[in-house]
Structure formats: C-alpha cells, structure tokens
Amino acid sequence: MTGPVVDQRIKSTKNGYLLSAQRDAVTGVVVILAILLFASTGGTVLSDAIASLSGKSNGTDNVLVSAFLLNIALILFGWRRYRDLAAEVEERAAAEQRAHSLAITDPLTGLLNRRTIGEKTTDLVDAAKRKHKSIAFMMLDLDNFKNINDVHGHSAGDFVLKQVADRVANVLPPKNLLARLGGDEFACAFIFDPDQPEMVERIADDLIDAIAAPIVENGTHLVVTTSIGMSRYDPEEDSVDALMRQADIAMYSAKKQGRNRHCWFDDIMEKELQTRNWLETEMRAGIPKGQFVPYYEQQVDLATGKLTGFEMLCRWESRTQGLISPEIFIPIAEETGMIGELSLSVLRQSFEDAKDWDPSLSISVNISPVQLLDPWLAQKIVKLLIESGFPANRLEIEITESSLFENLSLAQSIVSSLKNQGIKIALDDFGTGYSSLAHLRALPFDQIKIDRSFVTSIIQNPESKAIVKAITGLGESLGMKITAEGIEDKEAESELRRIGCAKGQGWYYGRPLSVAQTREMLAERNLLPAKPVEETGDTQNIAPDQIADETDRKKSA
C-alpha cells in the first residue's frame, strides 16, 4: 500500500471520528437536559402517584407523567448511546492504529517500509552525531530469489522472506533500523565507530552466512544468498538520500562481482554507473539509426587454406566515441532487454550484405543466451531470411552451452525449428563451463567450436593440446565438424591441422573486416558476382572490344 493511499485512509478515519463526536455531543446535551427535567418533575410525579394510590389525591397530572416517562426514555437512550459510542471510539482507534501501522511497516515481515526507513535514518544520523559516531547503511538483495517463486510458488517465497527478515534482525547490533524495501530487497542501518569499519564488514559476513543457511519449508530445503552494498555517512558531504543511493550502487557492484558477497561504495562505482547510463541512452538511440553494424571474421578450411565463410561480429560505430567493442555494449544490451532488437537489426544487415557473395561462403552468427528465452526467436530469424532473400543453408547459428541450462526444452524447440529450415547449428565455446555430453545428444548440432582459450595455448600447454585432441576425436565419432577459434600464428595452425580440426578462425587470417573491406577482399579472390553490362537497348553504341572484354571477364569469374 502506497504512502498517499494510507495517508488518505488515516485522514478519512479522523474526519469520520470528528463527525461522530459532533453528533454525540448533541446527543449528550439532550440527555443532560432530560436528566435535569427528570430531577425537576420526578419528585412531583412520584408523590402524586403515591397519594393517588393511597386515596388522598384525585390523580396524577397526565402531562407530568408523560414528561416523566419521556425523561426516562431519553436517559436510557443516552446510556445505550454512550455504550455504543465507547465501542465505536475503540473500533475507530484500532482502525487508525492499523492505518498508521500500514503507513510505516511492511505487512508481510512487519519491518519498516521504504518510506519510513529514510525518515528513521535521519533520526539515527542525529543520534550518531551527538555521540560522535558514524552510520553504516546496508542494502541487501537476495540472489536467485525468483527461482524460489517460480519453482516452489509464492507462498514459499513469502516464507523465505519472513525467515530472512528474522535472520537479519538476529545478526544486527542493538538500536538498528531494518526495512523491507519491496520484493526481495532489504535495507538496514546502525551506528558504528568510524575508526572500526571492520566491525561493519564482520556484520556483513555474518549476514551472508546466516542468509545462505538452508531454509526448510514443508520438508523442502530452500536456499538463497545475498549481495550486500555498504555505505557510510559523511556529515560533510552526504545526505541520507545519498547514503541510501550509494549503498544501492555498491549492492549492484557486488552482484556484478559474482553475488553472495559484500562491497563498500566507492566513487569510481558512481562514475561507472554514469558511464553505463550514458551508454544505455546512446544505445537506445543508436540501434534505429544503424550505428550497430556487422563485421566479418574469416573462417578457413585448415586442410586446403580455402575461405569457407565468416563469423559475423557486431560492432558499434558511435558518432561520438568511434568504434566500441562488444565486450562493452553486449552486457548492457542483455541486462536492458535491447539484445533482441540489436541482434535482429545486425542480422538483417548481414543477410543483405552477404546474399550476393559466392554461394560457397557461409555466415555464422552467435545467439545470446537471453535470446534463447524468446519462444519466437526461430520465426523472427526465418522472417529475416525470407525478407532478405538470404539462403537458409548458408546460415549457421552458434549457441553457447551455458545458455542451454536456462530452458533446455525451449532451446530444443527453437533449434528444431531452425534445423527444419535448413539452418546449421554449432555448439560454441566447447570445453569451458559444463561440457555435458548430454547436450550433444539432446540437440542436433552440426559443428563444435573449440574455445579460444585452449587454442591460444595449444603450443605451450600440453593440457590444452590434450583437450583439443579429445574434443576433435569426440566430434569425429559423432559426425560433427570441429572449428578452432583464436588461431594467432602459424605454429598453432599447423598443430591444429595435424590434430584433425576441419576449420579455423582467428587473427592469423586477419582482423574482423567491415562490409566494405570484406567486399574488397572477396573481389580480389573473385568471390563476388560479375557486374553485368548495362543493357541500353542499342548495341550499336557498345564497342566490340568492350563486349569481348566483358565476355572474357565473365568466363574468368
């Protein structure tokens, strides 16, 4: 429940209480008047009634009797209304307390909420200043908590959040602040001696250990870890908002460093964040403007030295920063969800570039693990092939093995759809990560690509050489061709040829080329179609020697 909604509810409760109090004040006045009237008429009416019963009076005054009875009725009404009012006041007070509690706490865990932690931290800072102490602020985010909800359900997720809240509360020192900010994110603050920052690190270590312990729910062991960002209050520079933001930045840095760890805020992190935000903004503008373009790395038949195709690599030709490496922008594209749009944009350009190259040349394209979570990926690629006219049998899709662990069944569906169109599939970076033979059996791969880390060290490292031999033998037994990435010198190429690798690529054959450079290289090797003589409809204007030259050129091509 948001703050404005709760504030409105509290205000409505107070307004209702005020109106009720006004009505009951009027009722109270009426009852007081009834009591006074009862006191003034009660004695007369009672004495007349007694005299009438004893025969000493002719009867009572009916008007006085009626007034007397009315007074009694009003008094009884007032008493009942008083009881109802007491119950209503108690109920309204409880409702106001509930509304106030919702305004400052998280309903699931009972901890403070995002709105309140800032206000309470301000008070804690004031207390720390009086004691000449400092404030440590921690931002905690659970790692892989989404898997708990997806696999075990939201009730299990809620149970985990409450258990985590209890564990954090047990670790923190006295007089701390603890809040759940929403989702699986928590925050805490406490006073510490500025000369002893190691105390804060010990608490962070204890929090990591406590949260990582298995949580048992209905016999099921649920395991989560946490990434912690830490900041300390500097009275000369920081505000409470800055303190919280710095802890948040440090927390994301801890996640980037591998998760399940803590990290102090550093000014460099903020500069990196600003750079990242700038890159993200520039990328969103650059994709539709065509700033992301394909570059082409040669793939060569190791036995003959013949060019067989290219691996298409994406490059960012920034208008302000020049050529930017994919190691910089690909992670941002994957984190922000831009990878799909970016990849399809570059694929379209690559298909248009290569459709008129020699039919013997193939194009290999690496697919991001994030894209393999898109159930419509195969259809999108096929649509691009149809629109561009690029033959499907000249396309090879490369998939890294680690990406198969996210959703193997979906990957199988995508690969099957691509294979049905005649597209070849390669397992990329084989030898790193899991290297599970089950994946080679589960998916119809046409080719295995050996990771460059083994190829670059094949001469110096006997273990790398043994791994390359084993992968090559495995590929031969399964009927899969082997491509070695990262060939940088003649010695490595010769060794790979002796081992039996079919294809190779790397800077030994040249750096990745732009489309213009690639076309120039292909033209030199006669791997581009000959340009036809323009037909003007008037052959008399074409010199005979021009026609002969053009005919000879076509034959040589």
Side-chain angles (χ1 to χ4, degrees):
M1 184 178 298
T2 59
V5 173
V6 175
D7 289 343
Q8 184 62 36
R9 182 167 294 183
I10 294 174
K11 184 177 179 181
S12 299
T13 302
K14 291 181 177 179
N15 291 340
Y17 179 78
L18 181 61
L19 292 174
S20 177
Q22 292 172 347
R23 292 194 302 268
D24 291 320
V26 174
T27 303
V29 171
V30 173
V31 172
I32 291 173
L33 293 176
I35 293 173
L36 294 175
L37 186 59
F38 174 81
S40 62
T41 61
T44 303
V45 172
L46 287 175
S47 61
D48 288 347
I50 294 172
S52 176
L53 291 174
S54 61
K56 297 180 180 180
S57 174
N58 294 330
T60 59
D61 189 336
N62 291 333
V63 175
L64 289 176
V65 172
S66 298
F68 179 71
L69 295 176
L70 178 61
N71 291 340
I72 293 175
L74 289 174
I75 292 171
L76 292 175
F77 168 75
W79 172 251
R80 181 176 179 180
R81 181 57 184 159
Y82 169 77
R83 291 171 55 193
D84 292 343
L85 175 62
E88 185 176 354
V89 168
E90 184 177 350
E91 182 180 347
R92 287 184 180 275
E96 185 175 343
Q97 180 60 36
R98 287 195 299 271
H100 179 70
S101 178
L102 288 173
I104 65 173
T105 61
D106 169 55
L108 177 65
T109 61
L111 303 179
L112 299 175
N113 59 19
R114 180 183 293 273
R115 179 191 183 195
T116 312
I117 185 68
E119 300 171 357
K120 297 291 185 180
T121 302
T122 301
D123 297 336
L124 195 64
V125 166
D126 293 337
K129 287 180 179 178
R130 291 192 296 269
K131 299 177 181 179
H132 303 289
K133 302 289 185 180
S134 186
I135 294 293
F137 196 94
M138 292 185 179
M139 200 75 76
L140 298 81
D141 190 86
L142 302 184
D143 305 321
N144 301 317
F145 176 75
K146 183 177 181 296
N147 291 340
I148 300 292
N149 282 332
D150 292 344
V151 176
H152 302 284
H154 288 276
S155 60
D158 290 346
F159 182 79
V160 168
L161 291 174
K162 288 188 282 189
Q163 289 294 310
V164 168
D166 292 341
R167 293 181 179 187
V168 174
N170 291 334
V171 171
L172 293 178
K175 298 182 180 180
N176 64 78
L177 298 175
L178 177 57
R180 179 187 173 216
L181 305 184
D184 59 350
E185 194 172 18
F186 296 81
C188 59
F190 52 87
I191 297 175
F192 76 100
D193 190 331
D195 296 329
Q196 297 179 342
E198 64 276 5
M199 185 200 82
V200 180
E201 295 178 3
R202 285 198 302 269
I203 292 173
D205 287 332
D206 292 343
L207 287 173
I208 289 172
D209 293 339
I211 293 173
I215 298 172
V216 181
E217 196 257 347
N218 294 329
T220 302
H221 283 66
L222 307 174
V223 179
V224 293
T225 58
T226 186
S227 300
I228 304 177
M230 305 182 298
S231 62
R232 58 188 293 170
Y233 183 76
D234 184 349
E236 297 181 358
E237 299 181 7
D238 298 333
S239 64
V240 170
D241 289 340
L243 183 72
M244 298 173 66
R245 183 173 58 82
Q246 290 170 358
D248 195 50
I249 293 173
M251 182 267 291
Y252 280 106
S253 179
K255 281 189 174 293
K256 287 175 61 178
Q257 294 177 28
R259 305 185 178 189
N260 194 32
R261 65 190 63 214
H262 59 76
C263 182
W264 280 104
F265 171 78
D266 188 276
D267 290 336
I268 296 177
M269 296 178 186
E270 188 159 19
K271 294 178 181 178
E272 290 176 348
L273 180 62
Q274 292 172 353
T275 300
R276 186 203 176 281
N277 290 338
W278 178 85
L279 287 170
E280 180 181 343
T281 301
E282 291 293 305
M283 287 175 63
R284 293 190 185 280
I287 293 175
K289 293 179 180 178
Q291 294 182 11
F292 293 86
V293 296
Y295 271 55
Y296 299 95
E297 182 176 346
Q298 299 178 53
Q299 294 179 330
V300 175
D301 187 313
L302 292 181
T304 64
K306 180 182 177 182
L307 179 68
T308 62
F310 300 88
E311 179 175 356
M312 188 273 285
L313 306 171
C314 182
R315 296 292 185 268
W316 181 7
E317 294 181 342
S318 171
R319 298 294 185 266
T320 58
Q321 303 298 315
L323 200 63
I324 298 178
S325 169
E327 284 78 9
I328 295 175
F329 63 81
I330 290 296
I332 298 175
E334 290 179 333
E335 291 172 13
T336 58
M338 289 188 283
I339 188 65
E341 181 186 0
L342 187 155
S343 179
L344 294 177
S345 171
V346 180
L347 268 177
R348 183 187 297 275
Q349 296 177 61
S350 181
F351 293 163
E352 292 290 344
D353 292 342
K355 66 181 179 182
D356 65 341
W357 297 352
D358 192 275
S360 65
L361 300 177
S362 63
I363 294 294
S364 299
V365 179
N366 197 290
I367 294 299
S368 164
V370 177
Q371 290 179 273
L372 273 183
L373 299 177
D374 179 4
W376 298 101
L377 176 62
Q379 288 80 353
K380 292 176 181 178
I381 293 176
V382 172
K383 182 173 181 289
L384 289 180
L385 290 172
I386 295 173
E387 292 175 349
S388 65
F390 186 80
N393 62 356
R394 291 175 55 196
L395 175 63
E396 183 176 81
I397 297 295
E398 300 180 6
I399 299 173
T400 57
E401 189 172 16
S402 59
S403 65
L404 302 177
F405 282 83
E406 289 289 335
N407 192 329
L408 181 58
S409 61
L410 179 56
Q412 288 175 318
S413 174
I414 292 172
V415 168
S416 297
S417 297
L418 294 173
K419 289 282 291 183
N420 290 338
Q421 299 298 321
I423 299 171
K424 298 180 179 64
I425 307 296
L427 182 59
D428 194 18
D429 295 341
F430 192 77
T432 61
Y434 304 97
S435 300
S436 171
L437 299 181
H439 289 144
L440 293 177
R441 184 177 60 183
L443 293 170
F445 292 107
D446 300 287
Q447 186 174 175
I448 297 175
K449 300 191 73 174
I450 304 175
D451 186 72
R452 67 177 58 249
S453 61
F454 302 112
V455 176
T456 54
S457 60
I458 191 172
I459 302 300
Q460 298 82 11
N461 192 329
E463 293 181 355
S464 295
K465 183 177 179 179
I467 291 173
V468 172
K469 282 184 176 180
I471 296 174
T472 303
L474 177 63
E476 290 177 355
S477 65
L478 295 175
M480 300 179 185
K481 294 183 178 181
I482 304 296
T483 298
E485 298 181 293
I487 300 176
E488 297 181 355
D489 51 51
K490 181 65 176 178
E491 291 77 13
E493 182 196 47
S494 300
E495 187 63 39
L496 290 166
R497 187 184 300 113
R498 282 193 293 270
I499 290 174
C501 288
K503 292 197 302 183
Q505 66 183 80
W507 285 4
Y508 175 64
Y509 306 106
R511 298 291 182 98
L513 305 174
S514 68
V515 62
Q517 294 169 331
T518 303
R519 291 190 67 86
E520 183 179 350
M521 182 264 290
L522 293 177
E524 293 174 353
R525 302 186 186 188
N526 293 324
L527 293 174
L528 289 179
K531 294 182 180 179
V533 177
E534 295 182 3
E535 296 182 2
T536 62
D538 184 5
T539 56
Q540 295 179 355
N541 294 330
I542 302 177
D545 57 339
Q546 288 180 296
I547 297 176
D549 290 343
E550 181 62 26
T551 303
D552 292 340
R553 193 177 66 80
K554 288 184 178 180
K555 288 180 179 179
S556 65

